[in-house]
Amino acid sequence: MTGSAEDGQRAQERLAALLNGAVADSIRAVGGFAGGVYLRSRTPGLLRLAVLAGLPGPLFRGWWRMSMERPFPVADAHRLGSEVRLADATETMRRYPQLAAGLPFQFGSMYVPVVGGHTRFGVLTVLHPSVQDTTETPPDRDRMTAVAEELGAALLALEEDHHGVTWDGEPMCVRPPALGASPARFGRFTWDPAKATVTGDDALWDLLDTKPGDFAGTPEALARAVSPDDAGRLLAALEETATGRPPPLPLTLRAQAGGQRLLELWSPDHPPGPPPLVNGLVIDPGPGPAAAEATDLLAEGVFALDRLGLITYANPRAAELLGRARPELLGRSLWDAVPWLNSPRYEDHLRGALLSPEPVHFQVRRPSGVRGAPRPAEEKAGGETEDEGEWLTLSVHPGPDSLACKVVPVGRAASAAQSAPMDARLLTDEEAAGQGSAGGVTPTAPLYRPIVLAIALTEAVTARQVSEVVMRELLPAFGGRRLAIYLLQERHLYLAWETGFPQGFLAPFDGIGLDAALPGVETLTSGRPIFFESMAQMAAAYPGIPLDATEGSRAFLPLIASGRPVGSCILGFERPRTFSTEERTALTALAGLIAQAMERARRYDTEAALARGLQEALLPHRLPAHPQVETAGRYLPGTQGMDVGGDWYDVVEAGDGLALVIGDVQGHGVQAAATMGQLRSAVRAFALGDQPPDEVMSGTNRLLIDLDPGQFASCCYLRLDPGTGKVRAARAGHPQPLLRHPDGRTEVLDLPGGVVLGVDSAAVYPVTDLTLQPDAVLALYTDGLVEHPGRDIDEGIAALCAALSRAGSPRSRPGGPSLAATADLLTEEARQATERPDDIALLLAACRSARGDRR
């Protein structure tokens, strides 16, 4: 944001308020349990999660960033500018399999683009319970659309105040609007006996009905904030806690306004020297203290989480089993209060409890050494030792505003950690460190990651797309920062993709032979993955090998598809790390998927090259020159999929006139290019015989049906008399031509037409007569030039009309643009676009005026 720091701060606060309010309104409108808003960032093509309501941010870190090109509903809603509604998990799997693989739970979702004027700011999203009847729609769906529109208008106003609306930080995690009874509230404070000061958080003052500015910051001031009858008990409890004797149970107090509050106090073990700090927790128990008291008596551990993952209640047994005192649990996030639960092995279960209505049950291993855990391994009869730690069963029951959790012991593990289910095995410290990524972000590598990668690889059709998928899905899953993919060709490995390595470091290894003593070669020739947990380990195994870093670890994976060597893949990690058995197995399996995708991409690239060569041979390299007619043609291949389609244009001498032709064969690839060549040849043959336009269309239509390639085509054929400017035209399902008059006015012609070629052998193609005046421009084009994702084709045609008007009349004035320059102007945006879903053909024609007949 620009302007002064104070203005920027106010704008940031205004932005946060707008986003939070919009998310809350959307959740209420749809009856959802969670929601958020993605905003554009300063990184081109990247959306960032700005607000997350009703879900704990750390559990959903993998969704904080969203590339606009990923096949996810958020990206589609933003890119296409249209709403995406997913009623349940089945529809999500059908339409967005990668999202369903990443979050395989029973919920529905809605995604509404946030647009202000012509600016796309981001996407509002709400998660809601699955819609049982698919004919139903979430309640007040239109209200959510209205909320998005209001937010877009507000963001546009904020941006027009010279404050750029982008988001580049972590999301704000906020509570959803309450749908039921409010959960328990709590505030924290700390008393420093040595300094005689009390400091508290913002929630404390609200619970004690006190304004922060009125608090003197002393124990006496804290006592004055409660009922006079309870002030003495509070001061006495503080003194006793400072001497190492905290009250065994929470004290019941009353705030100044009469509300009941619970007070829990604790301090570290009492050391010699100055009195230690005393920590306090003031709790609003809500309307049900009797139920909490009853739960306190249960032999099973019971605790509750709010939808942000904060612990709002824990009975004594839960505190014992989790290994923390109750005051150390309340008001803290589960993974902060119980760090040994902060493991990717458990995250998927917790996500499931937050996103689906069904209870979740799973086993966790509490390590030995935590308070409340069993003592270290003890000798059993016969010298057998028990394993350290204890296995617990954790059951999580989701509710609208909170999660009720039950924890019970299931006995000590009978054997080492590997006997546990893979999703329950704890990461070692080295593994946890190894999975850390840049910026302190801890990635997750749950079991569904191979599924996500497999699905994404099925959609990648070129070697570059395969490499991009590996970089996007595999590296973050395992905390990697560097990737190199080598492909085998004629017994040499050639670098196909690299990211994260120092510039030029891999160049000496490009084209290396299979006899080189390098791990990237050995992993392919032996068929075995090679893992180095440190760079020193790799240097010892391969003396003299160049190293790109002094720290870190590396994994070399063979790419072998159906027994055939394809290449090798190198993964680089910034810090030394171990590779667990499960990770080695998973990476080896994923390497097989990558190899198969690369092998498929090679065949695809070969076919694409053949199609490109075929099309280049069939398209005209030079249009025929005519003294009275100027023509210009352009062809741009698509950049997605096979890259080559069936679009073509042509100019053919037809008697004493010229035939102007443009067509579009359905599909892409070799078959489309071959069919295009057959149709072009047929049209040229009919045109050289100077047959009427309707007969040209009818004859070409019957030929395509007789060939039966399983494809159809659109076409527009115009026969121009250069001397008079008379035009006779026939159209077969093709977009209407444009006509730019000499005065600059451009119109869409209204030519009656028949159905596309190749469908109905009896189809009729009416002929339309018109006149092309000198210096007027006739424009024929295929739909790739006017169709764009998220925009109606009529809008694209209108934009092309406007561009043709601005381009100026060729040769109508000295120095006016040539028709070739006009063609370049009309295709400039498409030529600069990195993504063209379809190929594009354009043909322009103009009759020269008397003053423009000389160059």
Side-chain angles (χ1 to χ4, degrees), residues 285-299:
E293 291 174 6
T295 309
D296 282 350
L297 302 177
L298 293 177

Side-chain angles (χ1 to χ4, degrees), residues 636 784-785 788 826-834 836 840:
L636 300 175
L785 186 59
H788 301 281
L826 297 182
T827 57
E828 181 178 11
E829 182 180 352
R831 282 185 283 109
Q832 293 178 351
T834 56
R836 289 192 297 271
I840 293 170

